[in-house]
Amino acid sequence: FLRVSCGVIAAVNAFVVKALLDKGVEVSKKVKDAVRKDALVEALCTILWTAGGGRTATLIVPTTGAGPAVLSNGERLRPVVFGSMEELAEGIGGQYNELLTRRDGFGIALFMYSVLMSRGLKNIRELDADDAGCTMIGAHGYCTQELVNLFVVGRAFTNVFDGSKRLGELKGDAVVLQGIHKRSPVGFLSYHEHFKDIEVGSRLKGPQSAVWIMCCESHYSLLFQSDAMGDPKDSTFATDLVYFDPLGRGTEMFRIRVRPGELPESDTTSVIERTLRTKWIGAAVEWIGCERLL
């Protein structure tokens, strides 16, 4: 489950950072516990409420206790439905907080189930995903793009390009591929775009907040703009960023400066740098106060 969790953790962390930046809090190890907790509650509520279409949210909790059997016996899980954002925040910030956040629990799995049920499995199959038989866990146990998109925009779309694409001319034979329909709250960048395997659209590259989930091969990590002053849509000016990989590199934050259009003649083989250049085209990447990560 660790492979799945890196995508879930990166998405939740992206919304935590967004909550902190929206409040003008400097994102660092020095953020007070109470402020971090409030940001986490806000992040979890935002993801669930968005998945529920802004009308309702479902939290999946164990009926009794919380042992290993909870995750292997669905009869011991039950839904708790919230009809307002205020009720949801009260529940996640109070009664159900420890269930979702304790270190020896199953908060990641329970929250993933909650997001799926908030959106509704029928909606995912019939309205969101290109393939009704899609899964949220793909090859080798990694989370799929559908799951990441569900966390980010509340819809389990299969693709990351802008809007929809229609394949075929005749109405009966046409296939519509679903992409991102509006500017996302947090962004997404992918190493696969470096090889032109996929196209990440401007709605994910230029999100509402300067926070991006980074998919480097099959691993998910986090990137955010340290000053959060510029427009996240912009990719033409020098920008200071922070790279954060909680599962791969613990709590260490790496500071980066990208300067678009100043790439040296010899490209680097750094996966992270190549992923950055899918947004900041031809950027020289400077690692500030730390060794360059591959």
Side-chain angles (χ1 to χ4, degrees):
F1 196 77
L2 182 61
R3 292 173 178 174
V4 178
S5 69
C6 79
V8 173
I9 288 173
V12 171
N13 272 326
F15 280 91
V16 169
V17 171
K18 179 184 185 303
L20 292 172
L21 293 177
D22 287 347
K23 293 178 173 61
V25 177
E26 181 183 356
V27 181
S28 69
K29 299 177 185 178
K30 298 180 181 179
V31 176
K32 294 181 179 179
D33 288 344
V35 176
R36 272 205 306 265
K37 178 183 176 182
D38 289 345
L40 177 58
V41 170
E42 181 177 336
L44 298 178
C45 289
T46 298
I47 293 169
L48 283 175
W49 194 248
T50 303
R55 296 180 298 273
T56 184
T58 301
L59 189 64
I60 301 299
V61 301
T63 53
T64 57
V70 169
L71 297 185
S72 61
N73 184 352
E75 294 179 355
R76 296 187 61 187
L77 299 175
R78 66 182 176 89
V80 179
V81 180
F82 298 90
S84 73
M85 187 66 155
E86 292 73 21
E87 292 177 2
L88 179 62
E90 184 177 344
I92 290 183
Q95 180 180 357
Y96 302 108
N97 187 264
E98 183 182 0
L99 180 68
L100 293 172
T101 61
R102 69 185 187 189
R103 293 181 180 274
D104 61 344
F106 298 99
I108 292 175
L110 291 173
F111 186 68
M112 183 178 71
Y113 297 158
S114 299
V115 176
L116 291 169
M117 297 309 294
S118 291
R119 175 58 184 151
L121 301 184
K122 183 177 180 181
N123 288 333
I124 291 173
R125 294 191 183 103
E126 297 182 2
L127 301 178
D128 296 352
D130 291 346
D131 180 3
C134 77
T135 63
M136 298 297 107
I137 301 176
H140 310 295
Y142 294 106
C143 66
T144 62
Q145 191 63 53
E146 286 87 351
L147 183 61
V148 175
N149 285 346
L150 179 60
F151 272 70
V152 173
V153 299
R155 300 285 296 272
F157 296 134
T158 301
N159 307 289
V160 290
F161 50 68
D162 290 343
S164 300
K165 292 187 178 182
R166 184 184 181 91
L167 303 181
E169 298 296 332
L170 299 177
K171 185 176 181 181
D173 296 331
V175 175
V176 177
L177 304 180
Q178 298 272 24
I180 306 302
H181 290 266
K182 61 181 180 180
R183 192 180 185 188
S184 58
V186 300
F188 178 80
L189 303 175
S190 175
Y191 180 53
H192 297 289
E193 189 172 23
H194 169 78
F195 299 102
K196 303 188 185 305
D197 293 333
I198 64 171
E199 172 195 342
V200 180
S202 62
R203 292 167 182 167
L204 284 172
K205 285 183 179 175
Q208 296 170 19
S209 293
V211 184
W212 294 267
I213 298 165
M214 289 184 66
C215 177
C216 296
E217 296 181 311
S218 297
H219 183 65
Y220 294 88
S221 51
L222 190 65
L223 182 78
F224 61 92
Q225 197 169 310
S226 55
D227 55 18
M229 294 298 291
D231 187 344
K233 287 183 178 180
D234 180 72
S235 57
T236 58
F237 296 101
T239 305
D240 288 341
L241 303 164
V242 176
Y243 176 76
F244 178 50
D245 183 4
L247 281 183
R249 296 177 173 86
T251 60
E252 188 171 1
M253 295 185 181
F254 300 85
R255 299 196 173 273
I256 302 169
R257 179 171 294 131
V258 293
R259 298 190 301 276
E262 298 184 20
L263 178 65
E265 290 185 8
S266 58
D267 187 10
T268 67
T269 57
S270 167
V271 172
I272 295 172
E273 292 182 13
R274 286 180 169 180
T275 305
L276 291 172
R277 292 188 187 108
T278 62
K279 173 174 170 61
W280 292 278
I281 305 301
V285 180
E286 178 184 358
W287 296 81
I288 302 173
C290 59
E291 293 185 4
R292 181 168 65 90
L293 299 178
L294 296 178

